[in-house]
DNA sequence: TGTTGGATCAACT
DNA sequence: GTTGATCCAACAC
């Protein structure tokens, strides 16, 4: 299992595939953030082990999806080994396949931007807590490498949080049109 | 049993 | 730049 920051950087440009009801929804990741360990104040595991963040304490390769602000879900990828809580939040992506279905899932998306934010991404892919804890090595939700070459990858502070902003744990493709705001 | 605030988004001023 | 929408887990009582 490789270090979370390394995995996060590698995820940029990779394909995220979600198979459901015979359809395939594919997006190319452009924007991710790492949340690592109990001493990261912005990480959900900062308060210790709870029912909600339990999945982050397991081995890497599983999905961690939580519900927030009463209306949005966020999709994370659990990394590292057992008992070391860490995850990568998928913030933004570019739709590659299944655009019609995303449009149905998220008809009121502005400017056709279905996936340029963590809440929107989950809505477009129709991911909810029901998809929490999925094994990402199985064939429902998984990653593919299409050998897409990302021109540049930049690191910055994380977005939308109050604590732990100093850590430059957000990785993104600065040339993409699909970055979160 | 009750209160509070959050890894968001869109629509306001 | 600020606010409302609106759920659930965490924590205080």
């Amino acid at each position: 299992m490789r270090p979370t920051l390394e995995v996060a950087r590698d995820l940029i440009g990779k394909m995220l595939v979600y198979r459901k009801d015979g359809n395939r929804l594919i997006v190319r990741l452009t924007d991710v953030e790492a949340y690592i360990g109990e001493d990261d104040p912005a990480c959900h595991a900062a308060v210790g082990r709870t029912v909600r963040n339990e999945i982050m304490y397991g081995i890497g390769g599983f999905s961690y999806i939580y519900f927030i602000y009463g209306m949005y879900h966020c999709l994370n990828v659990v990394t590292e080994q057992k008992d070391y809580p860490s995850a990568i939040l998928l913030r933004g992506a570019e739709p590659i396949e299944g655009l019609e279905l995303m449009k149905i899932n998220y008809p009121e998306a502005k400017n056709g931007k279905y996936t340029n934010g963590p809440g929107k991404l989950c809505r477009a892919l129709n991911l909810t807590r029901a998809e929490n804890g999925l094994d990402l090595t199985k064939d429902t939700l998984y990653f593919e490498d299409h050998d897409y070459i990302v021109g540049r990858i930049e690191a910055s502070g994380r977005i939308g949080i109050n604590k732990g902003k100093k850590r430059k744990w957000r990785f993104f493709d600065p040339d993409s049109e699909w970055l979160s705001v």
Side-chain angles (χ1 to χ4, degrees):
Chain A
M1 198 66 67
R2 293 181 302 144
T4 302
L5 292 178
E6 197 176 301
V7 177
R9 195 176 188 286
D10 276 2
L11 280 178
I12 302 297
K14 294 290 186 298
M15 303 294 168
L16 172 69
V17 186
Y18 180 43
R19 288 218 265 191
K20 185 158 191 182
D21 302 330
N23 297 301
R24 287 205 311 170
L25 292 171
I26 305 183
V27 298
R28 185 171 61 224
L29 299 173
T30 58
D31 202 344
V32 303
E33 282 176 11
Y35 289 84
I36 309 172
E38 293 180 352
D39 51 357
D40 172 7
C43 183
H44 282 177
V47 293
R49 192 175 192 138
T50 65
V51 216
R52 184 202 203 185
N53 62 34
E54 175 73 26
I55 187 75
M56 279 202 289
Y57 284 80
I59 58 169
F62 286 81
S63 63
Y64 170 44
I65 300 178
Y66 63 91
F67 193 58
I68 197 165
Y69 298 131
M71 23 179 63
Y72 298 106
H73 299 271
C74 292
L75 170 62
N76 298 249
V77 181
V78 177
T79 58
E80 307 284 347
Q81 64 270 30
K82 193 173 182 323
D83 295 327
Y84 189 89
S86 59
I88 297 166
L89 169 68
L90 308 184
R91 292 197 63 87
E94 176 179 350
I96 301 295
E97 193 180 311
L99 205 51
E100 290 306 309
L101 201 49
M102 293 184 203
K103 195 179 286 185
I104 293 170
N105 289 338
Y106 191 8
E108 53 290 289
K110 285 195 66 174
N111 311 321
K113 296 284 189 183
Y114 307 105
T115 52
N116 64 328
K120 290 188 263 189
L121 179 65
C122 284
R123 184 137 177 217
L125 297 188
N126 200 24
L127 293 170
T128 67
R129 284 189 319 291
E131 281 74 38
N132 188 33
L134 285 183
D135 185 342
L136 300 178
T137 63
K138 295 290 194 312
D139 59 4
T140 303
L141 185 64
Y142 57 97
F143 295 100
E144 279 182 3
D145 188 351
H146 287 204
D147 293 325
Y148 175 79
I149 308 296
V150 183
R152 293 187 290 160
I153 297 179
E154 286 190 7
S156 78
R158 291 172 292 180
I159 293 181
I161 55 174
N162 302 311
K163 297 169 283 190
K165 281 183 179 160
K166 288 180 191 159
R167 294 174 164 92
K168 304 248 184 206
W169 285 354
R170 173 178 177 233
F171 297 92
F172 61 100
D173 170 6
D175 299 317
S176 172
E177 300 287 311
W178 299 87
L179 300 176
S180 55
V181 285

